[in-house]
Amino acid sequence: MEHKQLKVFPKSFLWGSASAAYQVEGAWDTDGKGPSVWDNFVRIPGKTFAGTNGDIAVDHYHQYPQDVALMSELGLSAYRFSVAWSRIYPLGNGEINQAGLDFYDRLINELVEKGIEPIVTLYHWDIPQALQDQYGGWESRQIVDDFVRYAKTLFVHFSDRVKYWVTMNEQNVFISHGYKTAMHPPGVRDEKRMYQANHHANLANAAAIVAFRSLGCPGKIGPSFAYGPNYSIDANPENVLAAENAEAFDAHFWMDVYARGEYPPQVWQWLVDNHLAPDVYPEDAILLKQGIPDFMGVNYYRTMTNAYNPLDGVGIEQMNTTGKKGTAQESGLPGVYKHVRNPHLQRTNWDWDIDATGLRIGLRRIASRYQLPVMVTENGLGEYDTLTDDLQINDDYRIDYLNEHALAVQQAISDGVEVLGYCTWSFTDLLSWLNGYQKRYGFVYVDRDENSAKSLTRYKKKSFYWYQEVIRSHGATL
Ligand code: BG6
């Protein structure tokens, strides 16, 4: 659909940028913080690229005043960050650690003072290790009560200043990598356990939303979903069916539960047939229906292209975590779909398809399937950056990527989608969970690498000035 003229971004539209506690904070055992599963997982040899960890990360815990000053200089209207659960409850469900609350108080106050809207993610993958040890973390229903207690603590403490809340970041990613590919903690390969853990995460998400409303907190709350809209490789009906399967298994399976309180029937049938269906109690269905979010958060990086995959076809993915282009392998769900190379799209050095139109398509699909406003809670390009001798970072490739994706958001708005805001990933460079520090996303370059924390000096990239203009013009320069 071509528009003669695009709609302008709504007045209240948030121009943001995002991060996650483990990827930026460092200070992993400072001021009473308990260990999270990631603090331990990164110490298992071979789990992360070049053995990188977030012990120091980019030291945001100590350098947040400088980082917020840079956000203010850029002109951000929102900053999305996550709270480390084990800073607030070092054991997950025991005593509160006041120093943890104090840190986020300082950060939030600094943001509010600078006119930057805080968007707070309750959970970005760093479950307290103590809960993993006590009852197996997400595998136990006990997690629901503990997650709600933690969420309520944050709601009560911060909702005078925080109006946007993200319950969970990319449940589809932390559950699949935690229990299927074993690339994230707890590093398990067991699909039965995966679907049960996933069901508990669904319950925790819904219960936190219900708690938010029962406390009468002002503002909006919703999950952030990692959505890679699915295409068919061609018009062969077998491939089209595979793409529909991929959409059902990789997107509706999560978003239908969030937005409709129901599992999609074809996936549920497959789970039953394969003896993988989780235990669902009658009261679960009621809770899931009560916990419908105010918006759907979308983390968008790429689309997925699909083809028929026979029962003895390809399975679990081999990810490219080295940045050596062309090393990703075909993957899929045997008998259901496989992801294949899209000949129409360029790829990054980490083999992610670059597809701005896919963002527009994804936003439209969500709006029409769920009738919910959408917030783009992450979008960005992970690439190598070079600090030149005269201390410049000329990241034109990132500017191109972000410009066309922000434009795709404006096109989706012009198509009739309600979009609350756009958060790039990320503000400063940060730790990529599996890809170390060489896969960079930020507007602000941080002087550190896999081998050493170096000076941690911040340098503004060319994209910093590009986004500054976009925000200053409220999108007119796109
Ligand atoms: C999202 C996560 O999956 O993508 C972020 O929410 C993550 O935490 C980002 O860093 C980019 O992924 P990666 O693997 O390139 O770091």
Side-chain angles (χ1 to χ4, degrees):
M1 189 185 331
E2 293 282 338
H3 297 284
K4 285 200 184 115
Q5 196 162 8
L6 293 179
K7 279 194 188 154
V8 292
F9 287 92
K11 261 210 176 88
S12 58
F13 191 82
L14 297 171
W15 296 100
S17 211
S19 72
Y22 188 70
Q23 298 179 272
V24 291
E25 285 178 3
W28 75 283
D29 61 352
T30 302
D31 292 340
K33 176 180 169 291
S36 79
V37 288
W38 272 95
D39 288 315
N40 292 338
F41 190 73
V42 292
R43 297 184 206 286
I44 305 171
K47 287 294 183 188
T48 61
F49 177 72
T52 40
N53 64 49
D55 287 4
I56 299 174
V58 295
D59 196 33
H60 178 68
Y61 188 80
H62 299 108
Q63 307 212 22
Y64 74 89
Q66 186 192 350
D67 292 339
V68 176
L70 284 163
M71 290 174 204
S72 172
E73 181 186 341
L74 191 151
L76 287 191
S77 49
Y79 174 53
R80 171 179 174 239
F81 62 93
S82 77
V83 173
W85 184 342
S86 64
R87 273 196 206 286
I88 309 298
Y89 286 102
L91 297 176
N93 55 7
E95 295 284 299
I96 292 192
N97 175 36
Q98 186 58 40
L101 285 174
D102 292 347
F103 167 66
Y104 295 106
D105 263 327
R106 292 195 296 276
L107 173 62
I108 289 169
N109 290 344
E110 194 89 11
L111 290 166
V112 171
E113 201 177 290
K114 300 261 176 359
I116 301 168
E117 190 78 56
I119 302 174
V120 176
T121 305
L122 303 178
Y123 182 72
H124 201 125
W125 305 354
D126 46 357
I127 186 172
Q129 180 66 46
L131 298 186
Q132 196 65 41
D133 298 341
Q134 268 179 49
Y135 51 65
W138 293 105
E139 287 188 68
S140 163
R141 271 179 185 260
Q142 274 180 261
I143 192 77
V144 180
D145 286 347
D146 287 338
F147 185 69
V148 169
R149 182 181 307 114
Y150 159 65
K152 278 184 165 172
T153 303
L154 301 191
F155 296 151
V156 168
H157 197 84
F158 298 116
S159 69
D160 57 335
R161 286 154 288 160
V162 176
K163 304 290 175 257
Y164 292 92
W165 297 88
V166 171
T167 45
M168 263 183 217
N169 183 72
E170 300 188 351
Q171 184 183 329
N172 53 331
V173 172
F174 78 76
I175 290 289
S176 306
H177 281 333
Y179 296 91
K180 188 174 184 180
T181 69
M183 292 170 89
H184 283 191
V188 169
R189 277 182 183 242
D190 184 324
E191 291 191 38
K192 179 77 182 154
R193 288 166 64 185
M194 174 177 83
Y195 287 109
Q196 193 63 51
N198 183 62
H199 183 64
H200 299 149
N202 283 329
L203 297 176
N205 177 72
I209 293 173
V210 169
F212 179 77
R213 296 200 178 119
S214 69
L215 288 170
C217 298
K220 296 185 192 304
I221 188 163
S224 279
F225 182 70
Y227 186 30
N230 288 282
Y231 298 152
S232 171
I233 185 70
D234 58 24
N236 177 340
E238 283 205 327
N239 294 333
V240 174
L241 184 62
E244 296 236 342
N245 288 340
E247 194 70 4
F249 278 72
D250 290 356
H252 303 161
F253 181 64
W254 280 278
M255 286 197 286
D256 281 13
V257 179
Y258 295 147
R260 298 175 166 175
E262 288 168 5
Y263 286 102
Q266 64 277 57
V267 184
W268 189 260
Q269 189 58 51
W270 184 92
L271 290 177
V272 171
D273 293 349
N274 288 280
H275 312 289
L276 293 171
D279 297 331
V280 176
Y281 299 168
E283 61 269 28
D284 296 353
I286 298 166
L287 175 62
L288 293 178
K289 289 268 184 205
Q290 284 172 339
I292 307 298
D294 298 311
F295 64 87
M296 188 70 75
V298 177
N299 293 354
Y300 177 82
Y301 291 88
R302 55 172 164 168
T303 44
M304 308 306 287
T305 301
N306 298 277
Y308 168 74
N309 193 17
L311 278 170
D312 60 353
V314 293
I316 292 177
E317 78 176 305
Q318 293 294 320
M319 259 169 81
N320 166 357
T321 57
T322 58
K324 289 199 182 87
K325 203 168 183 168
T327 52
Q329 305 286 323
E330 274 190 358
S331 65
L333 193 55
V336 183
Y337 65 81
K338 70 173 171 182
H339 297 316
V340 295
R341 179 88 204 252
N342 186 327
H344 303 286
L345 298 173
Q346 301 291 321
R347 290 187 146 187
T348 71
N349 278 314
W350 277 261
D351 293 318
W352 290 17
D353 286 347
I354 300 176
D355 182 11
T357 306
L359 175 55
R360 181 178 179 186
I361 290 171
L363 294 175
R364 288 165 43 142
R365 283 186 187 172
I366 291 172
S368 51
R369 190 172 174 96
Y370 303 118
Q371 281 92 45
L372 281 174
V374 193
M375 163 131 45
V376 180
T377 39
E378 286 180 28
N379 174 236
L381 176 70
E383 264 308 337
Y384 298 108
D385 285 328
T386 312
L387 184 66
T388 62
D389 292 342
D390 56 349
L391 307 177
Q392 308 290 316
I393 304 95
N394 295 311
D395 56 343
D396 294 283
Y397 37 90
R398 181 166 297 108
I399 295 174
D400 291 347
Y401 178 100
L402 293 175
N403 199 91
E404 60 176 5
H405 283 75
L407 205 52
V409 172
Q410 191 176 10
Q411 287 163 334
I413 291 171
S414 304
D415 296 338
V417 179
E418 184 183 352
V419 187
L420 302 173
Y422 174 71
C423 292
T424 67
W425 185 265
S426 51
F427 182 67
T428 60
D429 288 340
L430 41 71
L431 171 69
S432 172
W433 307 90
L434 302 177
N435 309 280
Y437 291 95
Q438 60 170 5
K439 190 182 189 190
R440 293 173 184 267
Y441 282 91
F443 293 125
V444 175
Y445 183 94
V446 179
D447 178 36
R448 73 149 300 156
D449 62 18
E450 278 73 28
N451 305 316
S452 134
K454 295 170 95 178
S455 70
L456 293 167
T457 305
R458 274 77 167 137
Y459 297 96
K460 289 171 259 178
K461 302 182 191 177
K462 193 171 175 185
S463 55
F464 181 99
Y465 300 102
W466 165 83
Y467 201 38
Q468 194 174 49
E469 277 311 299
V470 172
I471 299 176
R472 191 175 286 154
S473 69
H474 205 53
T477 54
L478 287 173

